[in-house]
Amino acid sequence: MRSTFTILALAISLAASAAEMPLAASAPAAEHAGHASRHTHGWTNYPLIQRSMSKGMDGRGTVLMNASNMQADHLYTYAPSDAVPHELELTMAGAKLEALPKVGNYYWVTAREATPEQVIVASTSYYFSNPGPAPTKMLLSKKHELELIPQPLPREHNSYRAKEKWLFLLRFDGVPLANQPLTLETQNGSTLRFTSDAQGYAEVRFPDDFKPETEEKPVSGEHSHGPRRASFVLATEHHNGSVHYLTSFNASYGPDAYTDRNLALGLGFTLLGMACGAPLLRHKRKASPASDTPQTPTGV
Amino acid sequence: MLKKIFPTLGRFRFAIQLLMLLFTVYGSALIGHYAAEKVSNTLPALSCAFDKQNGAYCVLVPLQHQMHHRIGEALVQGQQVFNTVVLPLFFLLLSFFTFFVVLNKAFCGWICPLGTMQELLFRLGRRFNRPFHRLKETQAHKARPVKWLMLLVLVLGLPLLAGMGIAPDQVGDPFCQVCPSRLATTLLTADTEQIAVRTGHPINFALGALGNALFGFILIAALAARQPFCRICPLLSLNAAFQKLSPMRLSKQPHEKCEKCGICTKACPMDIHEIWKKSGHKAFNEDCTLCGRCAEYCPDDGVIQIKFFGLPLFKSSRDYYKARVKSETPEGMPKGKVIWLKPADTKLKAE
Ligand code: SF4
Ligand code: SF4
Ligand code: SF4
């Protein structure tokens, strides 16, 4: 239901149990995807990792994920407390990502397609309600050559939203890439370009491109459910010698904070409450001490 | 040295409250961004999870969530109840309790940002010589069930019914939707999102409007009455449900002078008459926030004590009382310091 569930959704995002939400999948094969690409998505040609479209196979603490717009045989998952990734075999149904006890809430998931000419890496994050360390170190550990690292990821109760600015670190072989271009494509049809600063950080502002009349369904792979969500992908490309590197990060974002909210009305109701309390501030003409409240201390 | 900086328990508590206010509202700058870095996700105080800069989350958000998404849904779907319901709830309560057991309701009197903000507003009200309203004994008794109702209906009942599909999904977190701490703490971080009322669904709109009006009322009422929201706070009742299990206690010895005195009740921000009229475990009332003011203002040696595992952390004493009333009346009116506005009617001051 596309009502203003913001608070509710933020609260329930604790469980990271988003409903199954398939995306349109009738797109032509992506230009850079291999012939055996399992899934494609119409709104972008960049590689993606998302919740699998096979319904009913997720359980609490498990999720099926799949890579699209690329040819990958495995998913690699990094939990905050793990130094080494878990390798998960990708089948047609997807790969089953499981929350491991005490390893932390935020999982980093990547897929890789490498040939002598090009290396394609897709990445995303998945949130399990699962106590453990913060993902700060894990995010910064070197995983591939060209990397696009959220700095930070939205924490519990938060997610990417339109009009918000979020930082991403761009690196090659662990070294920050200055003036590196970065492209954002959204399921709502926007394409935006950003450039990293001298330290390799790019500030990405999410576009306000939700159309009021459309009933976008929440996308898969995200921990917030309830309000409208749409997918986005950030991608960056780099040449090193004769090898072309393409790395993407995809997740979802929601409408801006004030969608289905009214500040004037909110202030109005607050003022109404204040007005109701105002009589308490007036001194009464006559005051008689309450009989059952203690009188001025005696015997002290 | 320490005595010079904190000559009274009140001053010491005030310093802790200010520190905790900064920590609970802005603490993420200090300890880190992620939920995993928060001091607790089950803090027994209204440290709001909607505040994007806070340092700990309040226990009511996972409690409502578990009622809604674990217990309610599992009951309906007949899932493996033990793994999905009992264990998570047990761990939630255990993690709440590990914090709670040490400090007991001092979470209210010393740590809760909303408790502190209400106290600050009351101090401001004294500076501006606003009237002082307190609850009579009968009124205080009548108000007490409200906080239990808030807990049973808004934190436990409605989320459970929403999870079972009996109540609409919009009441999955009804307390958060009316919670004044959500508005107070987010406004302190200059975030106006939460004060903007939700308009997408009539239920959310109604709850949001109610929450904003309640917040506005508390802002004003706190200038003239002590801790107005605490009287109906569901976290006070949740804490009260466990207060007997903690080794941190308020204790009172029977004393023959008490009957004619009652300064402890005058000093009590929760208008607890039991601290005056009762002794033993009955004096440690369900509304107590362990602020310690009753012990500070009791003019007799050792009658009221705050104890931890039976060891007194603070006890009332005549000398302390004499020094204390020189700086502030039991009702919280500062003495001998700057009074910004001239008292309008000196007769009313004695009320
Ligand atoms: S809205 Fe209130 S109850 Fe909900 S998380 Fe914030 S402080 Fe806790
Ligand atoms: S009773 Fe008051 S101090 Fe305690 S949690 Fe509620 S608002 Fe905070
Ligand atoms: S009884 Fe004492 S410790 Fe408890 S709230 Fe009242 S003054 Fe504070």
Side-chain angles (χ1 to χ4, degrees):
Chain A
M1 205 176 301
R2 50 163 298 194
S3 56
T4 50
F5 278 359
T6 312
I7 293 180
L8 182 60
L10 293 176
I12 56 189
S13 66
L14 274 160
S17 52
E20 188 65 38
M21 293 158 288
L23 291 158
S26 55
E31 61 189 47
H32 53 250
H35 63 276
S37 177
R38 291 183 175 90
H39 298 280
T40 55
H41 284 288
W43 59 272
T44 186
N45 287 332
Y46 287 122
L48 302 171
I49 302 174
Q50 292 187 300
R51 285 274 288 264
S52 168
M53 284 181 284
S54 312
K55 291 194 178 187
M57 296 186 71
D58 294 346
R60 188 166 290 283
T62 61
V63 61
L64 273 177
M65 301 200 103
N66 219 331
S68 50
N69 295 346
M70 70 186 299
Q71 186 178 7
D73 300 322
H74 292 90
L75 289 187
Y76 301 90
T77 65
Y78 303 76
S81 59
D82 283 352
V84 283
H86 293 262
E87 192 178 278
L88 307 173
E89 201 184 332
L90 259 178
T91 64
M92 281 305 283
K96 195 165 159 191
L97 176 58
E98 267 178 277
L100 303 168
K102 300 287 168 203
V103 297
N105 307 44
Y106 307 82
Y107 283 58
W108 187 249
V109 187
T110 70
R112 183 181 173 95
E113 175 189 337
T115 63
E117 297 80 37
Q118 71 171 357
V119 176
I120 298 172
V121 172
S123 50
T124 190
S125 71
Y126 192 81
Y127 181 92
F128 283 112
S129 183
N130 185 19
T136 317
K137 253 195 198 159
M138 175 273 282
L139 284 174
L140 286 173
S141 68
K142 184 176 173 294
K143 302 173 195 75
H144 299 279
E145 297 87 342
L146 180 62
E147 292 176 297
L148 214 171
I149 308 166
Q151 286 296 294
L153 280 167
R155 78 182 206 202
E156 191 176 32
H157 306 293
N158 283 281
S159 62
Y160 298 111
R161 292 191 296 193
K163 293 187 186 168
E164 282 181 355
K165 290 174 182 163
W166 289 81
L167 281 182
F168 292 83
L169 174 62
L170 303 170
R171 284 193 322 202
F172 189 79
D173 274 342
V175 179
L177 281 172
N179 301 319
Q180 169 73 12
L182 177 66
T183 305
L184 170 75
E185 288 187 0
T186 74
Q187 193 185 359
N188 292 338
S190 303
T191 301
L192 296 165
R193 292 189 213 290
F194 305 90
T195 311
S196 64
D197 63 13
Q199 281 73 44
Y201 286 95
E203 189 180 71
V204 172
R205 186 182 190 272
F206 286 90
D208 190 16
D209 57 2
F210 282 82
K211 290 172 199 74
E213 71 278 9
T214 52
E215 284 266 353
E216 286 103 331
K217 293 272 181 171
V219 294
S220 51
E222 290 303 312
H223 67 273
S224 284
H225 62 171
R228 288 178 296 155
R229 313 279 307 160
S231 295
F232 74 86
V233 61
L234 279 165
T236 188
E237 296 179 57
H238 183 74
H239 288 273
N240 192 34
S242 59
V243 188
H244 171 237
Y245 293 88
L246 166 69
T247 290
S248 70
F249 167 74
N250 69 277
S252 78
Y253 68 113
D256 90 289
Y258 294 91
T259 299
D260 292 337
R261 278 185 185 270
N262 189 311
L263 187 58
L265 271 176
L267 290 173
F269 281 110
T270 308
L271 286 173
L272 184 72
M274 293 171 89
C276 293
L280 291 172
L281 297 183
R282 292 193 15 227
H283 285 282
K284 282 187 216 148
R285 292 227 170 272
K286 272 194 176 171
S288 58
S291 58
D292 59 349
T293 50
Q295 305 303 304
T296 311
T298 54
V300 178
Chain B
M1 170 73 180
L2 206 66
K3 239 184 154 171
K4 256 198 165 162
I5 308 172
F6 304 118
T8 61
L9 182 71
R11 177 84 70 90
F12 180 55
R13 186 172 73 93
F14 189 52
I16 302 278
Q17 281 182 298
L18 291 183
L19 267 179
M20 293 317 297
L21 180 67
L22 287 178
F23 179 74
T24 51
V25 178
Y26 308 102
S28 72
L30 206 70
I31 54 170
H33 163 84
Y34 293 103
E37 287 157 334
K38 301 291 159 263
V39 159
S40 168
N41 294 333
T42 54
L43 202 75
L46 292 179
S47 174
C48 188
F50 294 95
D51 162 12
K52 297 181 188 96
Q53 299 178 25
N54 76 354
Y57 292 157
C58 108
V59 65
L60 296 186
V61 76
L63 201 55
Q64 287 170 95
H65 168 76
Q66 290 214 359
M67 286 295 148
H68 186 187
H69 287 282
R70 296 237 166 141
I71 304 186
E73 285 172 8
L75 285 178
V76 171
Q77 291 161 11
Q79 290 174 348
Q80 324 111 4
V81 171
F82 189 75
N83 282 345
T84 59
V85 178
V86 182
L87 271 187
L89 191 66
F90 174 74
F91 282 118
L92 172 76
L93 288 177
L94 192 71
S95 114
F96 158 80
F97 195 66
T98 42
F99 267 85
F100 179 78
V101 77
V102 190
L103 291 179
N104 203 342
K105 294 163 92 184
F107 275 102
C108 287
W110 295 63
I111 288 168
C112 175
L114 189 62
T116 303
M117 281 184 248
Q118 292 174 91
E119 283 199 49
L120 289 173
L121 284 170
F122 183 72
R123 280 166 186 255
L124 196 69
R126 298 317 86 208
R127 293 292 184 187
F128 283 97
N129 188 42
R130 290 305 84 209
F132 171 47
H133 300 275
R134 64 175 155 225
L135 295 189
K136 295 175 192 168
E137 187 167 5
T138 45
Q139 291 169 327
H141 280 247
K142 275 188 194 150
R144 280 180 193 161
V146 181
K147 66 179 181 299
W148 293 100
L149 267 180
M150 298 276 281
L151 178 69
L152 287 176
V153 177
L154 294 185
V155 177
L156 303 175
L158 284 175
L160 185 74
L161 293 178
M164 294 169 79
I166 298 169
D169 231 20
Q170 285 81 1
V171 293
D173 64 343
F175 179 67
C176 283
Q177 294 187 55
V178 297
C179 176
S181 194
R182 177 174 55 83
L183 302 177
T185 54
T186 54
L187 282 179
L188 281 182
T189 63
D191 175 1
T192 52
E193 177 188 345
Q194 297 298 327
I195 196 128
V197 78
R198 294 159 70 190
T199 51
H201 191 282
I203 292 179
N204 294 136
F205 176 70
L207 284 171
L210 187 70
N212 281 40
L214 179 67
F215 172 64
F217 180 80
I218 300 288
L219 276 184
I220 296 298
L223 292 164
R226 293 179 291 188
Q227 310 304 93
F229 181 72
C230 295
R231 321 292 174 119
I232 59 164
C233 177
L235 200 44
L236 185 66
S237 42
L238 184 67
N239 289 351
F242 292 95
Q243 78 180 54
K244 296 265 156 38
L245 300 177
S246 166
M248 182 76 89
R249 297 280 168 86
L250 185 71
S251 101
K252 190 193 165 197
Q253 314 288 327
H255 194 267
E256 75 274 10
K257 282 192 192 160
C258 286
E259 201 186 327
K260 287 187 181 162
C261 173
I263 307 178
C264 50
T265 294
K266 283 187 149 197
C268 175
M270 298 295 285
D271 299 318
I272 296 169
H273 289 73
E274 284 81 349
I275 189 68
W276 168 29
K277 294 181 175 171
K278 303 253 157 72
S279 57
H281 70 272
K282 284 187 182 157
F284 186 23
N285 184 262
E286 63 179 56
D287 273 357
C288 177
T289 62
L290 274 179
C291 69
R293 280 181 70 86
C294 51
E296 283 190 281
Y297 282 92
C298 171
D300 280 296
D301 292 342
V303 173
I304 301 182
Q305 305 189 10
I306 296 174
K307 288 181 171 173
F308 187 59
F309 278 113
L311 296 170
L313 297 180
F314 184 84
K315 18 175 164 176
S316 59
S317 95
R318 192 166 186 82
D319 291 343
Y320 180 94
Y321 163 78
K322 281 182 179 165
R324 188 73 173 100
V325 285
K326 275 185 192 151
S327 60
E328 190 181 301
T329 67
E331 293 88 344
M333 184 59 120
K335 277 187 186 170
K337 302 253 169 77
V338 199
I339 304 280
W340 295 346
L341 289 189
K342 220 176 115 223
D345 181 347
T346 39
K347 265 186 235 152
L348 290 173
K349 267 185 84 187
E351 188 203 346

